[in-house]
């Protein structure tokens, strides 16, 4: 029996491990059996697919064997993106799993799981129960089920592509030249199906493909567009081809980053604001008075401002897709966006899909004549640091040092929050500025005059304190960033 500790690969929202070390065919088979038992799926359909990583077919077969042995009827989906799984789970009202490690390097693989209707499986909704049951099966063996389920195959790519096209009509836009960097990931398969003419009639889009060959060894660059160095090839190609827009997808194609016509990155906050405006307009046209839009607390202040201006209702949440998805359901929100380029849609079963977000951007661009650089500037009026990490052992002490300058009354009380205070020892640029502090996720300090804010958020797994800050001018942002980082790193 296996001695692998599943706690090394089971995370709060998914499973990710090193192939052959922390994730193996044996651990996957046990997980398939536990998935069925914990979610009471015996006699029901379970969908199983995988991305282009070399280990995905073996793992998908092992999961199917374990799940069928406990009585589930398995439908093998073959090669799929993560948002294809969500489409299948939503449209077929079935539970499912996709084998992927998203943007992680080639030696990794993992699982993203969903309940029927594409409801996510996380630590709050059964993930760790599945881990514990699978660990037991690894140690004692998987018991025989009362019945063995069937294993059949189907393909959902055509249905997925057609469904996305039904949500955003691109047939009437002006012709656009679009460079797409698939990073050798699943967008190399989904882009021709949705935006090209491999399955459906051609759209007024000239697609310039970059790294469309499915290759889970990632021979060209890591499939992680969050890292600027992985966007360099796309930016160069946009300029070389005189393209209107560039799109970069991560390995499992559930995230999409956007490059404008000059080769500059359009911030995910700007994309969130742009798509929010479109989705609010559509919902209001259907009779909703104030459609809710979800955004996490470190997206730009431009996001809630755009939501309010469009007649929507902004709902601020913690960072993390489980929080976003939970609020999407609770608020019946029409859309949700994160700084990490995850975009969630009510019409897509409250799940995230990079392709649908990209289609909204293409529609917004193609419905008017201005270049994307001008269109995006409307949604990006502020200046932001991005996420800056500091290695700090005593994170609470570091936050207290910062609060001693900005909100001294709260510095000694990590549980305090929501109280107005006055900046004390911080630079002259902030002297006398009223601030408020909240602890929805980490510690956020917000200037009452709206000129700046910053958030300090501790990593749960590493000795890092993460800073995100935004201000109305580059000079103000520089002063804010340098002061906060200096205080955070004082004793580092």
């Amino acid at each position: 029996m296996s001695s692998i500790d599943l706690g090394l690969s089971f995370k709060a929202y998914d499973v990710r491990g090193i192939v052959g070390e922390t994730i193996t065919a044996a651990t996957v088979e046990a997980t398939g059996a536990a998935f069925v038992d914990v979610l009471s799926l015996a006699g029901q359909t379970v969908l199983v697919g995988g991305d282009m990583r070399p280990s995905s077919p073996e793992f998908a077969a092992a999961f199917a064997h374990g799940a069928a042995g406990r009585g589930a009827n398995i439908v093998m989906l073959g090669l799929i993106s993560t948002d294809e799984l969500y489409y299948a789970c939503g449209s077929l009202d079935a539970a499912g799993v996709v084998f992927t490690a998203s943007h992680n390097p080639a030696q990794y693989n993992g699982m993203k799981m969903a309940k029927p209707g594409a409801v996510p499986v996380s630590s709050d909704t059964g993930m760790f129960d599945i881990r514990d049951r699978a660990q037991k099966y690894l140690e004692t063996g998987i018991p025989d089920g009362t019945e063995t389920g069937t294993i059949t195959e189907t393909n959902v790519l055509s249905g997925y592509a057609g469904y996305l096209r039904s949500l955003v009509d691109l047939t009437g836009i002006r012709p656009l030249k679009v460079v797409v960097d698939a990073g050798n990931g699943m967008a190399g398969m989904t882009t021709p199906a949705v935006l090209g003419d491999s399955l459906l009639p051609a759209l007024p889009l000239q697609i310039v493909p970059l790294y469309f060959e499915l290759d889970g060894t990632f021979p060209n660059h890591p499939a992680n567009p969050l890292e600027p160095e992985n966007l360099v090839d796309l930016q160069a190609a946009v300029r070389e081809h005189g393209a209107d827009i560039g799109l970069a997808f991560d390995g499992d194609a559930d995230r999409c980053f956007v490059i404008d016509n000059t080769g500059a990155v359009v911030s995910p906050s700007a994309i969130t604001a742009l798509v929010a405006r479109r989705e609010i307009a559509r919902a209001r046209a259907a009779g909703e008075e104030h459609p809710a839009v979800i955004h996490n607390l470190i997206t730009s202040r431009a996001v809630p401002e755009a939501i309010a201006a469009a007649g929507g209702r902004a709902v601020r949440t913690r960072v993390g897709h489980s929080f976003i998805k939970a609020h999407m359901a609770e608020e019946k929100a029409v859309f949700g966006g994160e700084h990490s380029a995850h975009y969630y849609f009510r019409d897509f079963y409250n799940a995230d899909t990079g392709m649908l977000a990209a289609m909204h951007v293409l529609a917004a661009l193609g419905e008017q004549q201005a270049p994307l650089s001008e269109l995006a500037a409307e949604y990006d009026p502020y200046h932001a640091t991005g996420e800056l990490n500091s290695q700090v052992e005593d994170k609470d002490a570091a936050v207290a040092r910062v609060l001693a300058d900005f909100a001294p009354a709260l510095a000694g009380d990590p549980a305090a929050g929501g109280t107005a205070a006055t900046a004390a020892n911080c630079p002259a640029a902030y002297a006398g500025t009223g601030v408020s502090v909240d602890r929805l996720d980490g510690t956020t300090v917000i200037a009452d005059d709206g000129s700046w804010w910053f958030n300090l958020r501790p990593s749960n797994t590493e000795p890092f304190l993460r800073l995100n800050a935004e201000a109305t001018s580059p000079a103000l942002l520089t002063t804010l960033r340098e002061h906060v980082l200096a205080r955070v790193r004082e004793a580092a």
Side-chain angles (χ1 to χ4, degrees):
M1 296 302 173
S2 173
S3 61
I4 293 175
D5 178 5
L6 296 186
L8 298 174
S9 58
F10 273 71
K11 314 301 181 184
Y13 313 125
D14 58 18
V15 179
R16 292 189 201 187
I18 299 176
V19 174
E21 294 183 15
T22 55
I23 181 170
T24 66
T27 69
V28 168
E29 182 177 358
T31 301
F35 183 78
V36 171
D37 289 348
V38 170
L39 301 183
S40 301
L41 296 171
Q44 299 186 38
T45 297
V46 171
L47 309 170
V48 180
D51 68 9
M52 67 292 137
R53 290 169 186 267
S55 58
S56 289
E58 177 191 8
F59 285 169
F63 187 97
H65 186 264
R70 299 300 294 160
N73 296 315
I74 309 303
V75 177
M76 302 296 287
L77 304 180
L79 272 169
I80 58 168
S81 63
T82 290
D83 61 340
E84 272 188 89
L85 176 75
Y86 297 149
Y87 161 76
C89 289
S91 62
L92 300 175
D93 196 29
V97 62
V98 56
F99 284 88
T100 180
S102 185
H103 59 275
N104 286 99
Q107 65 267 33
Y108 285 81
N109 209 334
M111 292 172 259
K112 292 184 178 179
M113 305 176 188
K115 297 180 181 181
V119 174
V121 177
S122 69
S123 57
D124 296 327
T125 56
M127 179 70 75
F128 291 164
D129 294 328
I130 294 169
R131 175 199 64 193
D132 294 344
R133 181 71 64 93
Q135 189 74 60
K136 177 183 176 183
Y137 289 164
L138 277 177
E139 295 166 357
T140 64
I142 302 171
D144 293 331
T146 54
E147 288 188 28
T148 299
T150 60
I151 300 180
T152 58
E153 298 180 4
T154 194
N155 188 300
V156 297
L157 182 60
S158 179
Y160 160 83
Y163 184 65
L164 290 184
R165 283 210 189 178
S166 75
L167 298 177
V168 178
D169 184 6
L170 295 172
T171 58
I173 64 171
R174 64 183 170 94
L176 297 174
K177 183 180 287 189
V178 185
V179 182
V180 179
D181 184 348
N184 298 110
M186 290 309 303
M189 184 181 81
T190 59
T191 298
V194 179
L195 302 181
D197 60 358
S198 67
L199 294 178
L200 298 170
L203 296 168
L205 302 172
Q206 180 186 348
I207 304 296
V208 180
L210 204 59
Y211 312 138
F212 270 36
E213 303 81 9
L214 301 184
D215 188 340
T217 68
F218 308 113
N220 294 290
H221 63 71
N224 182 10
L226 189 61
E227 299 298 333
E229 60 267 25
N230 297 329
L231 296 174
V232 171
D233 291 354
L234 176 60
Q235 292 169 306
V238 167
R239 290 189 288 262
E240 175 190 347
H241 292 278
D244 297 288
I245 185 174
L247 304 173
F249 292 89
D250 65 348
D252 62 338
D254 63 350
R255 285 189 299 156
C256 180
F257 281 71
V258 178
I259 304 299
D260 73 16
N261 52 293
T262 72
V265 178
V266 181
S267 77
S269 286
I271 299 301
T272 297
L274 183 155
V275 178
R277 181 186 235 173
R278 290 177 52 85
E279 287 288 68
I280 290 167
R282 188 177 59 79
R284 293 188 71 191
E288 291 185 53
E289 288 192 8
H290 299 290
V293 173
I294 313 298
H295 68 99
N296 71 30
L297 80 169
I298 56 178
T299 54
S300 170
R301 191 160 60 91
V303 173
E305 290 174 349
I307 294 168
R313 177 169 56 89
V315 179
R316 182 171 172 263
T317 76
R318 296 178 62 185
V319 173
H321 81 266
S322 67
F323 301 113
I324 294 278
K325 287 180 178 177
H327 278 86
M328 288 286 293
E330 290 167 10
E331 302 286 346
K332 296 182 172 56
V334 68
F335 174 64
E338 290 198 272
H339 71 294
S340 55
H342 281 284
Y343 305 107
Y344 308 79
F345 296 83
R346 183 171 65 195
D347 285 347
F348 199 75
Y349 315 103
N350 292 330
D352 44 326
T353 164
M355 187 62 74
L356 184 52
M359 294 172 73
H360 274 284
V361 177
L362 292 170
L365 177 59
E367 289 166 359
Q368 49 85 68
Q369 297 301 314
L372 182 56
S373 55
E374 292 183 16
L375 180 64
E378 177 184 349
Y379 301 98
D380 201 13
Y382 302 111
H383 304 270
T385 60
E387 194 156 82
L388 305 174
N389 289 327
S390 299
Q391 187 163 336
V392 180
E393 291 299 333
D394 193 338
K395 301 167 191 172
D396 288 342
V399 172
R401 288 195 297 272
V402 175
L403 284 180
D405 288 354
F406 288 89
L410 305 181
D413 183 4
T419 303
T422 302
N425 302 317
C426 51
Y430 312 116
T433 302
V435 301
S436 59
V437 177
D438 77 47
R439 290 192 171 79
L440 174 65
D441 192 353
T443 300
T444 305
V445 181
I446 306 165
D448 289 347
D449 65 4
S451 60
W452 54 266
W453 62 265
F454 66 86
N455 171 269
L456 288 168
R457 191 166 49 91
S459 167
N460 292 322
T461 58
E462 300 172 292
F464 289 143
L465 196 59
R466 310 191 193 282
L467 169 67
N468 283 269
E470 185 175 71
T472 52
S473 74
L476 193 59
L477 181 67
T478 298
T479 305
L480 180 67
R481 180 191 68 226
E482 292 182 356
H483 182 80
V484 174
L485 286 179
R487 294 293 271 153
V488 164
R489 296 170 179 174
E490 246 176 45

